[in-house]
């Protein structure tokens, strides 16, 4: 996103946006903070935007992404993802983004990127080993707004589930059934 904030560093942009009570400016301040590596600033601006515009689907989506990113980074590094509060907050934000949906009464910039919201929530659930929920969600997302990321997420989920079955099974009859569950 191209920035149009002329109020200096991200904190100054955030303060200006809060004073203006403009959720789009707060969203921009969040984008600037994120780009500067200030995750706390991004979260603060997104939460402020949602306080003003509670149907701002794009802000819920980006809030969820900010909460999900460190969990995903930990998982990629092979570290446990056991912060239940962070997982719950990210999941709640993705679910709210989906529930708000692609509200056509909002300007396009404020709408939920619905296909990506389904995809990212599916990825979060896959990360937590909630394969059945993740698969149902990814398949629902493909019906609502099919995007390539969802096919990739579904393939990743199926591979993760197969790996889990392979590790926990001796290759008996139960293993093929578990893949389908």
């Amino acid at each position: 996103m191209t920035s149009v904030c002329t109020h200096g560093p991200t904190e100054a942009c955030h303060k200006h946006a809060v004073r203006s009570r403009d959720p789009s400016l707060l969203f921009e301040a969040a984008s600037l903070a994120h780009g500067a590596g200030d995750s706390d600033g991004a979260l603060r601006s997104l939460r402020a935007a949602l306080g003003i515009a509670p149907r701002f689907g794009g802000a819920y989506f980006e809030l969820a992404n900010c909460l999900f990113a460190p969990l995903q980074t930990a998982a990629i590094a092979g570290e446990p993802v056991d912060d239940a509060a962070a997982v719950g907050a990210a999941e709640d934000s993705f679910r709210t983004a989906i529930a708000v949906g692609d509200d056509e009464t909002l300007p396009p910039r404020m709408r939920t990127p619905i296909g990506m919201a389904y995809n990212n929530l599916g990825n979060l659930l896959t990360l937590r080993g909630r394969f059945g929920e993740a698969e149902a969600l990814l398949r629902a997302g493909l019906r609502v707004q099919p995007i390539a990321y969802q096919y990739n997420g579904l393939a990743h989920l199926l591979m993760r589930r197969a790996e889990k079955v392979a590790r926990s099974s001796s290759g008996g009859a139960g293993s093929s059934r578990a893949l389908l569950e």
Side-chain angles (χ1 to χ4, degrees):
M1 175 164 66
T2 304
S3 171
V4 295
C5 185
T6 59
H7 293 86
T10 61
E11 183 62 28
C13 273
H14 172 77
K15 287 179 181 178
H16 170 72
V18 167
R19 281 191 306 274
S20 75
R21 301 214 23 93
D22 182 339
S24 291
L25 283 179
L26 284 159
F27 189 77
E28 182 178 333
S31 179
L32 289 170
H34 178 73
D38 181 5
S39 296
D40 291 338
L43 290 169
R44 185 175 62 251
S45 292
L46 289 165
R47 288 180 175 128
L50 290 167
I52 297 166
R55 296 201 48 82
F56 191 160
Y60 281 110
F61 175 72
E62 292 303 340
L63 176 66
N65 284 331
C66 285
L67 296 166
F68 180 38
L71 302 170
Q72 199 169 29
T73 300
I76 290 168
E79 298 169 11
V81 179
D82 52 10
D83 184 346
V87 170
E91 182 176 345
D92 289 348
S93 293
F94 279 130
R95 288 192 186 281
T96 302
I98 290 168
V100 170
D102 190 15
D103 184 344
E104 293 184 9
T105 65
L106 293 173
R109 184 173 181 194
M110 293 179 74
R111 297 179 193 162
T112 299
I114 199 75
M116 287 303 298
Y118 274 98
N119 177 71
N120 292 6
L121 178 55
N123 289 340
L124 173 64
L125 296 175
T126 297
L127 182 75
R128 298 296 293 157
R130 292 162 56 189
F131 301 126
E133 286 177 79
E135 183 175 0
L137 202 84
L138 287 164
R139 291 186 187 281
L142 285 167
R143 286 189 297 277
V144 172
Q145 185 184 47
I147 58 172
Y149 287 106
Q150 292 166 335
Y151 290 105
N152 185 54
L154 188 57
H156 177 74
L157 167 131
L158 295 172
M159 288 186 334
R160 289 272 316 265
R161 186 165 55 195
E163 289 167 358
K164 182 178 179 186
V165 169
R167 282 192 308 269
S168 65
S169 172
S170 62
S175 64
S176 62
R177 196 168 113 236
L179 283 172
L180 299 173
E181 295 174 353

